[in-house]
Amino acid sequence: MKEAAYCQALCKDKVLCQLCPHQCCIAPEGRGRCKVRHNRHGALYTDNYGVISGIALDPMEKKPLYHFYPGAQVLSVGSQGCNLACGFCQNWESVQGSLPTTIITAQELSALAISLRERGNCGVAFTYTEPLMWYEFVLAAAPLVQEEGMKTVLVTNGFVEAQPWRELLEHIDAVNIDLKAFSEDFYQRHCAGRLLPVQQAIAAAVDKCHVEVT
């Protein structure tokens, strides 16, 4: 558990989470839509800091990234939580916290990535579940990976506010953004989200790193 970034204290110990466009107003001891950011005594905390529900050395093409280090392996890690609610989710067990987890520090993750270089590993991919809901940990780990000359990859739904997105992109080398549909109605009915913030996130990322869209 770690105090969360991008939030604002409100009256009566409520907090406003400003990480994603839902802008959840969270009552004391309540949680946001992502289920992993909660109000503890008037302060916002993230429950999944350093929590890993999936880890593997994957082909880069599995992310899927086809024009970024093709043929390379990438250490892939995922946690819990998501700010969308897609009826077709492939990773819902991890998202809901149904799978076993382990704890890792940002330093340990970076060291593990380095130790796998001889097996073709080129960096770390934050993937499987929604890494934007793992924001504080990704923001801590990604710079450490880059400092070792390795690459950072983000596989995300792109449903995020502009400022935290820009801050995170400073430490990301490649993103794959999962564009669920080109329809606002589809996003609202099937994903409990909105299309425009995702489009804006894609446009912002193009100016900062390698981008592919699924």
Side-chain angles (χ1 to χ4, degrees):
M1 187 170 61
K2 184 179 180 64
E3 194 158 359
Y6 291 99
C7 61
Q8 178 184 348
L10 303 175
C11 62
K12 298 183 179 179
D13 283 339
K14 293 181 179 180
V15 292
L16 178 67
C17 180
Q18 299 171 306
L19 177 60
C20 91
H22 286 312
Q23 294 280 309
C24 294
C25 181
I26 307 172
E29 309 314 315
R31 296 177 182 275
R33 295 194 192 191
C34 63
K35 303 291 198 314
V36 293
R37 297 168 79 79
H38 83 273
N39 179 346
R40 187 181 185 203
H41 309 305
L44 189 64
Y45 284 83
T46 175
D47 291 339
N48 61 353
Y49 189 89
V51 174
I52 289 181
S53 62
I55 184 167
L57 189 62
D58 285 337
M60 185 68 75
E61 288 79 3
K62 190 178 177 181
K63 296 306 94 193
L65 288 170
Y66 294 102
H67 305 283
F68 184 79
Y69 283 75
Q73 302 289 303
V74 62
L75 177 62
S76 302
V77 290
S79 187
Q80 299 170 337
C82 186
N83 56 346
L84 295 183
C86 302
F88 46 86
C89 181
Q90 296 178 335
N91 295 310
W92 63 272
E93 289 181 306
S94 296
V95 168
Q96 298 297 325
S98 302
L99 298 181
T101 61
T102 187
I103 302 292
I104 196 170
T105 67
Q107 291 78 12
E108 288 170 341
L109 179 60
S110 177
L112 179 59
I114 295 167
S115 72
L116 293 170
R117 270 178 168 155
E118 61 185 25
R119 292 177 58 183
N121 181 43
C122 71
V124 174
F126 302 95
T127 179
Y128 301 140
T129 53
E130 180 46 60
L132 293 177
M133 299 302 99
W134 207 17
Y135 186 86
E136 291 77 9
F137 183 77
V138 176
L139 193 60
L144 299 181
V145 174
Q146 288 184 324
E147 286 172 7
E148 298 297 334
M150 305 192 80
K151 301 302 177 182
T152 55
V153 172
L154 201 68
V155 183
T156 174
N157 62 31
F159 194 65
V160 63
E161 288 286 9
Q163 180 55 39
W165 182 232
R166 286 194 296 267
E167 182 180 2
L168 187 58
L169 286 174
E170 293 296 327
H171 309 289
I172 300 297
D173 295 297
V175 298
N176 185 297
I177 298 181
D178 191 3
L179 182 65
K180 311 295 182 179
F182 287 100
S183 162
E184 184 67 34
D185 178 68
F186 185 97
Y187 261 90
Q188 292 180 10
R189 289 195 298 119
H190 297 289
C191 304
R194 291 186 286 121
L195 173 61
L196 181 59
V198 181
Q199 292 174 309
Q200 294 171 333
I202 294 171
V206 167
D207 292 332
K208 291 293 185 179
C209 65
H210 177 87
V211 177
E212 296 185 31
V213 176
T214 297

